[in-house]
Amino acid sequence: MEATLNIDRPACAATRPAVTLERVNKWYGSIHVLRDVSMNVAPGERVVILGPSGSGKSTLIRCINRLERHQQGRILVDDVEVTDHVRTLHAIRRKVGMVFQSFNLFPHLTVLENCMLASTHVRRMSKSDAQALAMHYIERVRIPEQVHKYPTQLSGGQQQRVAIARALCMEPQIMLFDEPTSALDPEMIKEVLETMIGLADSGMTMICVTHEMGFARQVADRVVFMDRGEIIETGTPREVFDQPQSARLKQFLCQVVR
């Protein structure tokens, strides 16, 4: 099944997509996890991907920065095709930041040191410039008072905000979020979602896999529903949540929306 997502924003109509997927297919052995997935994401657009476990949504966004390899089709980031070529990978990963379910912070480094690491080693910034940049984003995610603490001294929500700040220190054009609140206790989810809402309000291009329906309603320009490796339905939050067209999406919403 092929589903092509159209750009709904007139202001972006003349702008090349930030991300393009053309008939993307991926298999794990004999398991077909992505099936002819096609979509465009406009610069500044906020796309939320929903779907049951095993629907391929996390695999899809991991293919965008080549953490997973697709076997068929094309993926382009800012008109550059995603391949295994070293220069291409470096270029794409400088444009695309990613935040995972697990925080992946270095336990032996402080919050500040975690956020400075990529700037000094990948971007070759001076220590003073890297520190200034790290502090800027640490303040942006509202945890400057934690700057000299180690990850084990922080709550889960604080650690995830550090992970977001660390990704932002690469100054990406696009941010990918793979269920960033799924590993958090309920009381910690709100602070991370508020950080992401602030990021969305700044105009960052975002593709987010999440089960947080309230976040999708509030932040998304477009909601994509996937099942069994296919895009089943797509639309504005109001269209997807209030006027679902497919039986599968209706069933999914009955199970997850209270």
Side-chain angles (χ1 to χ4, degrees):
M1 178 185 208
E2 181 183 354
T4 301
L5 306 187
N6 295 317
I7 301 304
D8 296 325
R9 294 181 171 189
C12 296
T15 305
R16 68 187 180 195
V19 177
T20 298
L21 295 97
E22 299 176 350
R23 298 182 64 90
V24 173
N25 284 269
K26 179 173 177 58
W27 289 263
Y28 290 124
S30 62
I31 302 173
H32 200 172
V33 293
L34 294 177
R35 300 171 180 263
D36 282 339
V37 175
S38 297
M39 73 174 185
N40 291 334
V41 178
E45 191 176 16
R46 301 167 304 205
V47 176
V48 171
I49 303 177
L50 306 177
S53 297
S55 61
K57 54 191 186 297
S58 291
T59 300
L60 177 62
I61 65 167
R62 289 172 67 89
C63 285
I64 292 173
N65 64 352
R66 205 60 166 179
L67 292 177
E68 298 281 357
R69 290 177 173 84
H70 59 288
Q71 284 93 5
Q72 290 181 3
R74 300 172 74 221
I75 300 175
L76 297 93
V77 174
D78 194 27
D79 223 25
V80 176
E81 186 168 1
V82 178
T83 68
D84 284 330
H85 193 283
V86 173
R87 286 188 179 180
T88 300
L89 282 177
H90 285 325
I92 286 171
R93 288 176 179 169
R94 289 193 61 164
K95 295 179 180 181
V96 180
M98 188 160 184
V99 177
F100 302 87
Q101 297 177 36
S102 55
F103 319 125
N104 296 329
L105 301 175
F106 291 104
H108 64 291
L109 300 179
T110 65
V111 167
L112 181 60
E113 290 166 341
N114 265 283
C115 291
M116 289 176 58
L117 195 63
S119 297
T120 54
H121 286 76
V122 178
R123 302 183 67 190
R124 304 298 183 186
M125 295 177 67
S126 68
K127 185 175 180 180
S128 59
D129 287 346
Q131 181 170 325
L133 185 68
M135 284 303 306
H136 170 75
Y137 286 113
I138 290 168
E139 289 170 0
R140 184 169 177 177
V141 301
R142 296 181 296 176
I143 49 170
E145 71 284 357
Q146 312 295 344
V147 70
H148 297 301
K149 290 185 179 179
Y150 291 90
T152 55
Q153 297 174 296
L154 305 178
S155 70
Q158 289 169 335
Q159 289 185 64
Q160 192 61 293
R161 283 190 280 169
V162 175
I164 293 171
R166 181 181 60 182
L168 291 174
C169 283
M170 289 297 289
E171 301 195 301
Q173 299 173 18
I174 303 158
M175 283 289 290
L176 309 176
F177 294 89
D178 186 8
E179 300 192 31
T181 61
S182 64
L184 300 177
D185 293 332
E187 63 270 20
M188 298 177 185
I189 291 174
K190 184 174 181 290
E191 63 188 62
V192 173
L193 292 180
E194 287 176 348
T195 299
M196 294 172 63
I197 289 168
L199 187 60
D201 289 342
S202 73
M204 173 72 73
T205 305
M206 295 173 58
I207 307 175
C208 181
V209 170
T210 184
H211 291 294
E212 299 294 336
M213 301 299 153
F215 173 81
R217 281 183 178 274
Q218 181 176 352
V219 169
D221 296 310
R222 183 154 45 106
V223 177
V224 174
F225 174 66
M226 293 186 67
D227 189 34
R228 298 183 180 181
E230 299 177 324
I231 295 177
I232 303 298
E233 196 165 330
T234 181
T236 65
R238 178 173 293 181
E239 290 169 342
V240 168
F241 290 112
D242 300 338
Q243 301 169 350
Q245 300 300 303
S246 65
R248 185 65 189 91
L249 175 56
K250 292 176 183 177
Q251 179 187 33
F252 174 78
L253 292 175
C254 285
Q255 292 172 340
V256 300
V257 177
R258 298 291 182 262

